[in-house]
Amino acid sequence: MANFNTKRPMEEDSSDSSEEDEEENDSQDEEMVEDEQLGENDREIQVDFEGQSPCAEDFHGIKSLMHQLFLKAHINLSGLTELIIQQNYIGSILQQCVDNDESDSDDGNSLDEVFGITSVINLTQHQDVECIKEVKKYLLEKTQKKLSGLFDDSSNQIGLLFNERFINIPPQVSVPLLENLCKEIDEAKKAGKPFDFTHFILISKLHESTRKDPESRKKKVKGGDNILWVNAEEEPISEIGDILGEYSVRSESDAAVSGTWDEDDEQFDPKRRIILITAKQLPEILIKIKEFLE
């Protein structure tokens, strides 16, 4: 189980006591203006999260996150979700921290909601499971069979990484989740369980500008400034790993996943990028993610 909290800090008032009354009135005025300017979905709120081992009660939440990744792909997401839950000694779900007062309230459903999942499934170990056959077929199609040699070599132990969460949750939560996953993989290996991986595959979500003007092409060549990462921490993973495939999912996405754009806004195409990394690269990747998010 991963035990950690992450909090979006709120600004504190550092004024002298003699100015408190005046600044309190100013603050109230500012809040009224902000309330008028901000919509319901634009306000920043403070939330504590914690990692927990996945269990049966998390089935629908995890499956929803799987759909967020695979969209309309022909994959049995229920079967995939069951595999994640069955190996509950590996990986963590992200949930809102529960205080004693909150746990006694009537709004228990929101507290049990799954906000994210970080886990790994051994594609080699479960190669005869129907949903894993579908996943491997999907990966082969999207990489134009670049993974064929890797899959065909029985000495390879290939893990499919899941790094999914709700949009707008800060990327900093990924650090303790990924660190905990690595620790659990090591413990499972020592216990003789099938988690001695040689490679990992990550399906990353991003949005790429559809602008075709010279300035946009120049940005793309210089370093991908026209790319928006859904999970920011996956950018350094992409830089270290091998990119085996990238494809648009515009025809499969809905507004909740891909976002909506005004006519005058720059248009973005929702995509998936398939990244291959070796197990030896994982410690370096964790270091790079920490540096990237500092």
Side-chain angles (χ1 to χ4, degrees):
M1 179 187 297
N3 294 312
F4 67 90
N5 295 336
T6 180
K7 186 179 294 185
R8 305 186 76 171
M10 304 292 286
E11 293 184 5
E12 295 181 358
D13 188 0
S14 57
S15 61
D16 295 332
S17 58
S18 60
E19 300 174 350
E20 283 182 357
D21 291 340
E22 181 180 348
E23 295 199 354
E24 183 178 353
N25 291 333
D26 291 342
S27 176
Q28 290 175 348
D29 292 340
E30 289 174 1
E31 287 177 2
M32 290 176 64
V33 173
E34 287 176 357
D35 285 344
E36 292 175 359
Q37 293 176 339
L38 295 177
E40 182 180 349
N41 295 326
D42 296 322
R43 296 189 181 92
E44 183 175 283
I45 60 173
Q46 181 175 323
V47 179
D48 290 348
F49 292 108
E50 62 183 356
Q52 298 285 349
S53 298
C55 63
E57 287 75 14
D58 303 318
F59 176 87
H60 293 291
I62 296 173
K63 184 180 177 182
S64 177
L65 290 166
M66 292 297 100
H67 177 264
Q68 177 177 290
L69 176 64
F70 290 107
L71 299 173
K72 296 180 181 178
H74 181 66
I75 295 172
N76 183 345
L77 300 183
S78 294
L80 205 56
T81 301
E82 289 287 359
L83 281 180
I84 291 172
I85 293 173
Q86 286 169 14
Q87 55 172 45
N88 63 355
Y89 50 88
I90 292 287
S92 305
I93 61 161
L94 193 64
Q95 285 188 322
Q96 186 176 340
C97 287
V98 180
D99 294 332
N100 290 333
D101 292 341
E102 291 176 327
S103 62
D104 295 334
S105 70
D106 295 331
D107 194 21
N109 290 335
S110 62
L111 297 177
D112 292 336
E113 189 167 9
V114 178
F115 289 88
I117 176 71
T118 301
S119 190
V120 61
I121 285 180
N122 190 329
L123 298 180
T124 308
Q125 174 71 17
H126 299 292
Q127 60 184 332
D128 295 328
V129 179
E130 193 60 34
C131 65
I132 297 302
K133 290 180 181 179
E134 293 169 347
V135 168
K136 291 175 70 174
K137 181 180 178 182
Y138 174 85
L139 291 170
L140 286 170
E141 288 176 354
K142 299 304 183 181
T143 61
Q144 298 180 339
K145 298 188 177 181
K146 291 177 184 175
L147 285 166
S148 294
L150 199 71
F151 286 153
D152 292 341
D153 188 344
S154 60
S155 66
N156 291 324
Q157 294 291 310
I158 306 162
L160 179 61
L161 278 174
F162 296 108
N163 182 47
E164 289 298 310
R165 61 178 179 271
F166 281 8
I167 203 166
N168 293 334
I169 293 180
Q172 285 75 14
V173 302
S174 66
V175 174
L177 287 169
L178 289 170
E179 286 180 332
N180 188 70
L181 180 63
C182 291
K183 179 181 176 183
E184 290 174 335
I185 289 173
D186 286 338
E187 291 173 351
K189 282 161 52 178
K190 291 175 183 176
K193 294 175 180 177
F195 288 89
D196 191 6
F197 295 108
T198 57
H199 299 81
F200 294 99
I201 296 171
L202 175 69
I203 305 173
S204 190
K205 302 197 300 293
L206 53 93
H207 293 83
E208 185 173 17
S209 171
T210 57
R211 284 174 56 190
K212 301 300 181 183
D213 57 85
E215 185 65 25
S216 179
R217 287 195 295 270
K218 196 183 300 181
K219 284 183 178 181
K220 187 170 184 178
V221 171
K222 285 186 175 180
D225 289 344
N226 63 333
I227 290 177
L228 300 176
W229 293 84
V230 176
N231 295 333
E233 71 278 3
E234 292 174 3
E235 182 174 349
I237 298 177
S238 180
E239 292 172 354
I240 293 172
D242 293 328
I243 301 171
L244 299 185
E246 184 172 305
Y247 49 96
S248 172
V249 292
R250 176 177 292 275
S251 63
E252 304 176 40
S253 300
D254 57 27
V257 176
S258 62
T260 55
W261 318 96
D262 294 333
E263 265 188 34
D264 295 334
D265 289 342
E266 186 170 350
Q267 300 295 306
F268 286 86
D269 187 21
K271 290 188 170 184
R272 298 291 182 267
R273 179 177 290 183
I274 297 176
I275 305 166
L276 177 69
I277 62 173
T278 65
K280 292 180 180 179
Q281 290 175 313
L282 203 52
E284 177 191 359
I285 284 172
L286 284 175
I287 293 171
K288 292 294 184 182
I289 288 174
K290 289 179 184 178
E291 292 174 350
F292 182 78
L293 296 177
E294 283 179 354

